[in-house]
Amino acid sequence: MSADLLIVANRLPVDRVTERDGSRGWRRSPGGLVTALEPVLRANDGTWVGWPGLAEDGDDEAYEPFEDDGMKLVPIKLDASEVEEFYEGFSNGTVWPIYHDLVAKPEFHREWWDAYVRVNRRFAERAAELAAENATVWVHDYQLQLVPQMLRELRPDLLIGFYLHIPFPPAELFLQLPWRRQLLEGLLGADLVGFQLPGGAANFVRLVRQRVGHKTHKDLVYLPDGRTVKAAAFPISIDAAGFEELAAGDGVAARVKQLREALGNPRRIFLGVDRLDYTKGIYARLRAFSELLEDGRLDVEDAVFVQVAVPSRERVEQYRILRDDIERLVGRVNGDHGRIGRPAISYLHNSVPREEMAALYRAADVMVVTPYRDGMNLVAKEYVACRLDDDGALVLSEFAGAADELRQAWLINPYDINGMKSALVEAAEADPKDLSRRMRAMRKTVRQHDVRAWADAFLAELSSIAGSSHDKQVRPARRA
Ligand code: ADP
Ligand code: G6P
């Protein structure tokens, strides 16, 4: 197998699962990275290298390259200690909290770092074996920040792009990392380093200048070997047309009706849909909702909050604590305010199929997206794409990348519970004309800046940079 476009991400788009009857299969992986990249991979006929999740011991088939629904997938194996030290440890116990504004306390362990280096090398070596001559390799996210440099050393002929799906932090936070210089040098192996927002790109360039000592000018870094690295923002998006089509299906319309009935035909449905992650502000939003019930500004007879939380990183302690806290709160709120057949909060701890997600988006009058920090937040864009009638309200945290584009949402500060409460009420009571004006504008934005435009922009920029700094023929980016 030799690939002209290789996507390298910690997760494959599908996860290995063992069913109740012991048979093994594949299920779509959680998270925004997979939602965004899957259509890009399909459109470009690329190959995706990644980890298939927690496959059972002895399930050797899980590590053979395979095709799933037209996608060419190459699994990488992590052993149990690497899952603990590289994935749960350095990636999600050190980097994730630091890059998300210290919403949780990061831990620093030298053996976690060693595992991070080891696993990054494995990804780089596999990518080096698979990439065709002069191929484009697009490396993704915080789990693989050393791969660009490792890969460049193995295969200087390649065009290497890197994209960070989460925020890149300001210097004060990044500098806490004992391995800060190695991480910056790892990223500089790429020709193009992409970020969600211009602020992330600027943080990176400033750190490279101050801490690695390379010359920089605006968004360019000049390396001593003559190579140039560009750092720029490419805000990610969704397959907007795909979501619209899904939402327009007959099955979805019927399901919307069923959902509303099952919830007792309330006047207003509030909806939260997230991975169960402490960055998402789920607890704060449910508290705001419960206080509105206590204050009598909302009543369970006409309002319900549906919270769908997809299980995530369940063996990491902070995630377990979060789950317990949220479930305790839901129990308390329902105990205090619910009536028979009318819960205040309808809570699901589950992954739901895409059609069901589209039905929930269509059923919801107010979508509540309240992260303390989020690279983009695709759920907000998915909601907008599914509002075919230009109605519905979006309450959105200022600290989500999506807030830069979706200016017509009710923008809130998730640390300000009173502000959030007022926004929830205003959004729920807004004039239909106001809703329609806001939603029309947001739908236009999401349609114009869809995931195809995102991938095209990144790949086109990658080709043009490589054209100016490499003495080789550059292929034009293929359309996503
Ligand atoms: P993150 O990448 O941090 O998880 P995003 O909002 O960017 O956050 O992306 C989340 C993706 O996961 C979206 O595509 C959303 O549709 C999907 N998702 C979230 N919750 C669920 C769920 N309960 N079931 C299925 N998919 C979900
Ligand atoms: C976010 C990250 C992805 C990650 C996803 C799911 O979207 O940016 O890199 O894959 O969350 O998290 P998980 O730990 O299950 O891969």
Side-chain angles (χ1 to χ4, degrees), residues 11 30-33 87 92 96 141-143 165-166 275 313:
R11 274 232 183 244
L33 180 147
Y87 169 68
N92 289 309
W96 181 269
D141 231 358
Y142 62 100
Q143 303 93 340
H165 292 251
I166 67 175
R275 257 183 329 98
R313 306 174 193 164

Side-chain angles (χ1 to χ4, degrees), residues 28 30-33 35 96 238 243 273-275 277 279-280 308-311 348 350-353 357 361 374 376-380 382:
R28 191 187 162 83
L33 180 147
T35 304
W96 181 269
I238 56 164
F243 269 97
V273 172
D274 317 74
R275 257 183 329 98
D277 195 295
T279 57
K280 303 287 182 185
V308 188
V310 68
L348 287 174
N350 244 327
S351 176
V352 302
M357 194 79 88
Y361 289 143
D374 207 333
M376 175 54 63
N377 196 288
L378 295 184
V379 162
E382 290 170 4

